[in-house]
Amino acid sequence: MGRKSRKSDVDYKAAARQWAEENEDARNPTMKDVARLARVSKKTVSRVINDSPLVNEATRKGIQGLIRDIGYRPDPQARGLASRQSFLVGMISDNPTPQYVVNIQLGILDVLRNTPYELVVHPCDRKSDTFLEDARKFIEVQKLYGVILTPSVSEDERLAEILRELGCAYIRIASIALDMESRMIVTNDRVGSQQAARHLAKLGHTRIALIAGRRSFRSATERRAGFEEGLAEFGITIPPEYIFQGDYTFESGLALGSQILDLDPPPTAVFASNDEMAAGVLQALHVAGQTPPDSLSVVGFDDFETATRVWPRLTTARTPARRIGKLAAERLFEFYDDDKEQGENETTPRLIERDSTRRPRRSP
Amino acid sequence: MGRKSRKSDVDYKAAARQWAEENEDARNPTMKDVARLARVSKKTVSRVINDSPLVNEATRKGIQGLIRDIGYRPDPQARGLASRQSFLVGMISDNPTPQYVVNIQLGILDVLRNTPYELVVHPCDRKSDTFLEDARKFIEVQKLYGVILTPSVSEDERLAEILRELGCAYIRIASIALDMESRMIVTNDRVGSQQAARHLAKLGHTRIALIAGRRSFRSATERRAGFEEGLAEFGITIPPEYIFQGDYTFESGLALGSQILDLDPPPTAVFASNDEMAAGVLQALHVAGQTPPDSLSVVGFDDFETATRVWPRLTTARTPARRIGKLAAERLFEFYDDDKEQGENETTPRLIERDSTRRPRRSP
DNA sequence: CTGAAAGCGCTTACAG
DNA sequence: CTGAAAGCGCTTACAG
């Protein structure tokens, strides 16, 4: 007596004990149970789990403790139905490299862990007639909280437009900025291939071939441009007949690798726009009975597992895929937060020098 | 007139036109709308979308057409909330090989495409203290329709027990049968390494080393046992000092590969229990200046991308991962169906002969 | 800072 | 074969 507050009269620990006693069939508690035990309305419990500032601090602490004690976990489906937004984050991808896809997933999951959000994966085929329709349906029906887009679907303006139209938060991962800053993770691929070019130039290579990536990927343009820029710093240009069109697959690297061997005069180095194609070139050399990098230095891009499995191990520009996924997810959760300080939204490739590059042999 | 049926009086095409006219704000239709337009109760619409047999055929056809015409898509969250079961399939995995994980995912998604179900990925760490607790929470809170478990979590009996307790359908992918047939996809790894052993024996190898897989994986035991069985058919046994304990990583293969080179007398062939370790052995040989398979034949297991990236390309027993994922998902959907004929529930490895194996050199 | 009422879009349980 | 009522577990919109 004497104290005016009625709220502090609620003994939350006793409430938790009461629950333990009365709940014989070990039913999971609902918001209704929490409200009853804490002697508040469901709305107040709702405010607590949604971090609303409009709750008395003592009440908040008490309810949070009670929630912990009785093991209450809000039902994401019910919250989703009522708020018209699910607790699902979608990852829409069309990347041909499994190592990339898994690492992006792991990065996203690093952020989702210990949140109520789950990751729903959605590979797609951008060339399909129903690609946009399917994507819209997925986003709309699942009422996704947000979507993370990897190259090359991230580069599709029509898909971004659909996301905006549906009011769905999204983050685009791409080699260059294609959208407002808060919607992008930029990987600056150009920088990586510039480094690759400088590395080869400094080793003394001047007759250099290039295998471009798949046309439908913006990174293909960026990686090629960066490489040519890097060489230009040393006054080196690549003649058109030393430029080949790959598609980012091992098989294309293998096929183009043997074409490169037939060039006359042959180049002393080749830049393949990703590790898979670089691995293909190495294999073409082995098939031809050569021992790289003796007659031909090879540089890749990505530094995924393949880079260290092949022999010689690849000199390559690293794409920090897991970190990229992590940044994308962090950025996604900042999207609705105006005041939250924005974190990093770009990564820079770093050249990893290994055994697939060396100085060119003196011409005989 | 003269016809008694009242249902056939409903003009579903006209109803669809009516919707197009009245729905000026382009709202997505709900079950309530469908019911009103078709002049039936929501319950009847519900029966149609859930394929209940208790619906008049003409009514069913009409409603199905109407649903198509106006683009009605049932809300999975609402269905989930009411039925206490979501439309999410979980994939719980702890496999260290990205190529495996992605291919299983793709196989599952092959089956989920054009269904209302979505795939939620959930990598985990079986050694974590909270592993079981976390898994239970995930399954319970998301009210998963079902779960697909890959090795080695698939081999955890405590997790399977939790799934049964929660009444959640699950499929375990494992190298041997660990559960009732309707809950298993068996990959018969033992058969693959038997083939590998016979292949080496037939080439004339007799002094053979083995690198076992990670102890916590049942496949490690199976692959080893199969290999020893296969050799036994030819009267060959592996001395203990020719048996090494790996952990399924490239790094372990690399480290053990150089140990194998130091054996005296050295073996003429080695079986690594997966491709990653086999790739490590090949690299150890290259580092030592050797040119496999001249002095040492190497056999792997899995035939994931790595197998064809390395040089020489690996002779290996194929694990059809995408197909395994597909079978697991198909089996999951058969789980609640008593009458549905059960599909295949096992796969068999097949040895793919490539360049990493040859006849042993004559001893000098 | 708090709550009572209505509703999100379905299914369950029951009745006929 | 069909439907009216109640309810799943939350949030919204409003009032105080």
Side-chain angles (χ1 to χ4, degrees):
Chain A
M1 33 176 304
R3 290 192 298 139
K4 300 237 303 265
S5 166
R6 275 163 307 181
K7 281 304 166 200
S8 60
D9 288 353
V10 179
D11 183 340
Y12 295 100
K13 290 293 171 190
R17 283 193 298 275
Q18 180 191 335
W19 171 256
E21 282 169 31
E22 77 180 37
N23 186 31
E24 291 158 356
D25 45 345
R27 180 170 62 79
N28 282 328
T30 68
M31 179 176 282
K32 199 171 159 187
D33 296 311
V34 178
R36 176 172 50 79
L37 293 164
R39 299 180 201 283
V40 295
S41 70
K42 286 190 298 176
K43 181 65 225 190
T44 296
V45 180
S46 172
R47 287 194 178 95
V48 170
I49 66 173
N50 287 296
D51 286 324
S52 159
L54 302 174
V55 185
N56 175 290
E57 264 317 295
T59 308
R60 178 195 307 281
K61 293 287 178 214
I63 292 177
Q64 282 170 340
L66 179 60
I67 285 174
R68 213 177 311 113
D69 291 343
I70 69 176
Y72 166 64
R73 290 165 312 203
D75 182 326
Q77 308 219 59
R79 295 175 84 180
L81 179 58
S83 68
R84 296 156 188 79
Q85 178 162 282
S86 75
F87 285 80
L88 302 175
V89 170
M91 168 170 162
I92 304 184
S93 62
D94 66 337
N95 202 293
T97 313
Q99 295 152 8
Y100 177 78
V101 172
V102 165
N103 278 299
I104 295 284
Q105 287 180 9
L106 290 175
I108 296 172
L109 288 163
D110 286 340
V111 177
L112 264 46
R113 198 158 296 127
N114 300 319
T115 75
Y117 296 88
E118 296 289 342
L119 178 62
V120 178
V121 296
H122 211 84
C124 65
D125 177 7
R126 210 176 150 192
K127 292 180 305 251
S128 154
D129 292 338
T130 56
F131 158 58
L132 288 174
E133 198 180 314
D134 291 347
R136 172 193 286 271
K137 192 166 144 188
F138 169 53
I139 297 154
E140 209 167 7
V141 170
Q142 298 299 328
K143 303 201 208 79
L144 297 181
Y145 170 82
V147 173
I148 292 172
L149 306 164
T150 65
S152 71
V153 276
S154 62
E155 296 156 8
D156 195 309
E157 205 45 59
R158 300 166 304 170
L159 181 53
E161 175 57 33
I162 287 174
L163 264 332
R164 285 191 293 267
E165 181 192 324
L166 296 176
C168 181
Y170 65 84
I171 302 294
R172 300 164 76 171
I173 297 168
S175 43
I176 55 161
L178 299 166
D179 208 321
M180 44 191 287
E181 207 182 336
S182 59
R183 295 184 180 283
M184 287 297 313
I185 298 293
V186 178
T187 56
N188 294 305
D189 293 25
R190 189 177 284 234
V191 175
S193 43
Q194 283 169 353
Q195 292 171 10
R198 291 184 197 119
H199 169 70
L200 290 177
K202 283 179 188 162
L203 284 173
H205 294 277
T206 53
R207 211 166 52 248
I208 300 172
L210 178 147
I211 302 180
R214 190 176 296 187
R215 284 180 200 281
S216 56
F217 281 63
R218 180 66 197 229
S219 61
T221 312
E222 290 300 304
R223 292 177 183 190
R224 172 174 172 177
F227 191 73
E228 295 189 306
E229 284 164 10
L231 290 186
E233 295 171 11
F234 293 81
I236 302 169
T237 55
I238 311 178
E241 62 272 27
Y242 284 69
I243 295 180
F244 296 82
Q245 182 63 50
D247 66 0
Y248 280 150
T249 63
F250 173 78
E251 289 71 21
S252 69
L254 180 59
L256 296 173
S258 56
Q259 288 186 34
I260 286 171
L261 289 177
D262 290 340
L263 288 172
D264 186 22
T268 61
V270 56
F271 170 65
S273 296
N274 75 351
D275 290 344
E276 287 295 308
M277 295 195 296
V281 172
L282 288 180
Q283 190 156 108
L285 290 164
H286 287 125
V287 168
Q290 301 195 13
T291 54
D294 286 353
S295 55
L296 186 70
S297 287
V298 179
V299 181
F301 200 115
D302 281 340
D303 195 29
F304 296 155
E305 282 85 342
T306 298
T308 50
R309 303 301 183 259
V310 294
W311 185 259
R313 296 172 307 168
L314 282 173
T315 292
T316 186
R318 178 174 293 168
T319 298
R322 186 163 182 162
R323 177 169 165 70
I324 290 168
K326 193 157 178 277
L327 291 180
E330 287 172 351
R331 178 56 50 112
L332 187 65
F333 285 104
E334 289 162 5
F335 190 79
Y336 295 111
D337 255 331
D338 291 327
D339 43 274
K340 200 176 208 166
E341 202 167 316
Q342 288 197 343
E344 291 174 73
N345 77 328
E346 56 180 321
T347 62
T348 308
R350 188 164 64 87
L351 190 74
I352 310 292
E353 299 181 21
R354 296 206 183 85
D355 320 314
S356 67
T357 49
R358 47 154 283 176
R359 279 170 296 136
R361 276 197 303 209
R362 302 247 160 217
S363 303
Chain B
M1 27 180 308
R3 290 192 295 138
K4 296 238 306 262
S5 165
R6 273 163 307 177
K7 282 303 166 199
S8 60
D9 288 352
V10 180
D11 181 340
Y12 296 98
K13 289 294 171 190
R17 282 193 300 274
Q18 180 191 334
W19 170 257
E21 281 170 32
E22 77 182 35
N23 186 32
E24 291 158 358
D25 46 345
R27 182 171 59 79
N28 283 328
T30 68
M31 179 176 281
K32 199 171 158 189
D33 296 312
V34 178
R36 177 172 49 81
L37 293 165
R39 300 179 199 282
V40 296
S41 70
K42 287 190 297 175
K43 180 65 225 187
T44 296
V45 180
S46 172
R47 287 194 176 95
V48 171
I49 67 173
N50 287 297
D51 287 323
S52 160
L54 302 175
V55 185
N56 174 291
E57 264 317 294
T59 308
R60 178 195 308 281
K61 293 286 179 216
I63 292 178
Q64 282 170 340
L66 179 59
I67 285 174
R68 213 177 312 110
D69 291 343
I70 69 174
Y72 166 64
R73 290 165 311 203
D75 182 326
Q77 307 220 61
R79 295 174 84 179
L81 179 58
S83 67
R84 295 159 191 77
Q85 178 162 282
S86 75
F87 284 81
L88 302 176
V89 170
M91 166 169 163
I92 303 184
S93 62
D94 67 336
N95 202 292
T97 313
Q99 294 152 8
Y100 178 78
V101 172
V102 166
N103 279 299
I104 295 284
Q105 286 180 10
L106 290 175
I108 296 172
L109 288 163
D110 285 340
V111 178
L112 265 46
R113 197 157 297 127
N114 300 321
T115 76
Y117 296 88
E118 296 288 341
L119 177 62
V120 177
V121 295
H122 211 83
C124 64
D125 177 8
R126 212 177 151 192
K127 290 179 307 252
S128 155
D129 292 337
T130 56
F131 158 58
L132 287 174
E133 198 180 314
D134 292 346
R136 174 193 285 271
K137 192 167 144 189
F138 169 53
I139 297 153
E140 210 168 6
V141 170
Q142 299 300 327
K143 304 199 207 80
L144 296 181
Y145 170 84
V147 173
I148 292 172
L149 305 165
T150 65
S152 71
V153 278
S154 62
E155 296 155 11
D156 195 309
E157 206 44 61
R158 300 166 305 169
L159 181 54
E161 175 56 33
I162 287 174
L163 264 332
R164 285 190 294 268
E165 181 193 325
L166 295 175
C168 181
Y170 66 84
I171 302 295
R172 300 164 75 170
I173 296 168
S175 43
I176 56 161
L178 300 165
D179 207 324
M180 43 190 286
E181 207 182 337
S182 60
R183 295 184 181 283
M184 287 296 314
I185 298 295
V186 178
T187 56
N188 294 305
D189 293 26
R190 190 177 283 234
V191 176
S193 44
Q194 283 169 355
Q195 292 172 10
R198 290 185 197 118
H199 169 69
L200 291 176
K202 284 180 188 162
L203 284 173
H205 293 277
T206 53
R207 207 164 56 248
I208 299 172
L210 178 148
I211 301 180
R214 189 175 297 187
R215 283 180 200 279
S216 55
F217 281 63
R218 179 67 196 226
S219 61
T221 312
E222 290 300 305
R223 292 177 184 190
R224 173 175 170 174
F227 191 73
E228 295 189 307
E229 285 164 11
L231 291 185
E233 294 172 11
F234 292 81
I236 302 169
T237 55
I238 310 178
E241 63 273 25
Y242 285 69
I243 295 180
F244 296 82
Q245 181 64 50
D247 67 359
Y248 279 152
T249 64
F250 172 78
E251 288 71 20
S252 69
L254 180 59
L256 296 172
S258 55
Q259 289 185 33
I260 287 172
L261 290 177
D262 291 340
L263 288 171
D264 186 22
T268 61
V270 57
F271 170 64
S273 296
N274 74 352
D275 291 343
E276 287 295 310
M277 295 195 297
V281 172
L282 289 181
Q283 192 157 106
L285 290 164
H286 287 127
V287 169
Q290 300 195 13
T291 54
D294 285 353
S295 55
L296 187 71
S297 287
V298 179
V299 180
F301 201 116
D302 281 341
D303 196 29
F304 295 154
E305 282 86 342
T306 298
T308 50
R309 303 301 182 258
V310 295
W311 186 260
R313 296 174 306 166
L314 283 172
T315 292
T316 186
R318 178 175 293 170
T319 298
R322 185 164 182 161
R323 179 169 163 73
I324 290 168
K326 192 158 180 276
L327 291 179
E330 286 171 352
R331 177 58 47 116
L332 186 65
F333 285 104
E334 288 162 6
F335 191 79
Y336 296 110
D337 253 329
D338 292 328
D339 42 272
K340 199 175 209 169
E341 201 167 316
Q342 287 197 342
E344 289 174 75
N345 77 327
E346 57 180 320
T347 63
T348 308
R350 188 164 64 86
L351 190 73
I352 310 293
E353 300 181 21
R354 296 207 182 86
D355 319 314
S356 67
T357 49
R358 46 154 285 175
R359 278 169 295 135
R361 277 196 304 208
R362 301 245 160 224
S363 304

